[in-house]
Protein backbone atom coordinates (compact mmCIF):
# COMPACT_ATOMS: atom_id res chain seq x y z
CA UNK A 1 0.00 0.00 0.00
CA UNK A 2 1.24 3.49 -0.85
CA UNK A 3 0.80 6.54 1.35
CA UNK A 4 0.01 9.92 -0.17
CA UNK A 5 0.49 13.01 1.96
CA UNK A 6 -1.44 16.13 1.02
CA UNK A 7 -0.24 19.51 2.23
CA UNK A 8 -2.79 22.29 2.05
CA UNK A 9 -2.19 25.96 2.75
CA UNK A 10 -4.34 27.28 5.59
CA UNK A 11 -6.79 28.99 3.24
CA UNK A 12 -7.48 25.83 1.23
CA UNK A 13 -7.70 23.75 4.41
CA UNK A 14 -10.40 26.11 5.67
CA UNK A 15 -12.17 25.84 2.30
CA UNK A 16 -12.06 22.05 2.57
CA UNK A 17 -13.68 22.16 6.01
CA UNK A 18 -16.55 24.23 4.60
CA UNK A 19 -16.96 21.93 1.58
CA UNK A 20 -16.99 18.88 3.88
CA UNK A 21 -19.93 20.39 5.77
CA UNK A 22 -21.98 20.51 2.56
CA UNK A 23 -20.72 17.62 0.42
CA UNK A 24 -20.51 14.21 2.12
CA UNK A 25 -18.17 12.85 -0.58
CA UNK A 26 -15.41 15.17 0.67
CA UNK A 27 -15.67 13.86 4.23
CA UNK A 28 -13.89 10.67 3.12
CA UNK A 29 -10.99 12.02 1.06
CA UNK A 30 -9.41 8.59 0.67
CA UNK A 31 -12.60 7.09 -0.71
CA UNK A 32 -13.12 10.08 -3.01
CA UNK A 33 -9.61 9.81 -4.44
CA UNK A 34 -9.85 6.04 -4.92
CA UNK A 35 -13.16 6.46 -6.74
CA UNK A 36 -11.72 9.12 -9.05
CA UNK A 37 -8.65 6.99 -9.79
CA UNK A 38 -10.85 4.00 -10.65
CA UNK A 39 -13.06 6.10 -12.93
CA UNK A 40 -10.07 7.55 -14.79
CA UNK A 41 -8.36 4.15 -15.04
CA UNK A 42 -11.51 2.73 -16.64
CA UNK A 43 -11.03 5.29 -19.43
CA UNK A 44 -7.53 3.99 -20.27
CA UNK A 45 -6.91 1.21 -22.81
CA UNK A 46 -5.85 -1.18 -20.03
CA UNK A 47 -8.92 -0.30 -17.97
CA UNK A 48 -11.26 -0.88 -20.90
CA UNK A 49 -9.59 -4.24 -21.68
CA UNK A 50 -10.25 -5.54 -18.17
CA UNK A 51 -14.03 -5.18 -18.54
Amino acid sequence: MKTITIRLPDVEAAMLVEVQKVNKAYRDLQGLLISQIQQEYAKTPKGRASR
Side-chain angles (χ1 to χ4, degrees):
M1 179 175 285
K2 299 287 183 183
T3 300
I4 297 174
T5 302
I6 299 172
R7 295 173 152 257
L8 291 176
D10 292 339
V11 173
E12 282 77 10
M15 289 178 189
L16 177 59
V17 170
E18 293 303 314
V19 170
Q20 287 174 324
K21 291 178 185 177
V22 178
N23 189 334
K24 292 181 182 179
Y26 283 87
R27 292 180 190 165
D28 177 18
L29 292 178
Q30 180 177 335
L32 179 65
L33 182 57
I34 289 170
S35 174
Q36 288 183 334
I37 290 169
Q38 290 171 340
Q39 288 174 10
E40 290 303 314
Y41 180 77
K43 295 176 186 177
T44 67
K46 266 187 155 179
R48 286 191 298 266
S50 66
R51 287 187 192 174

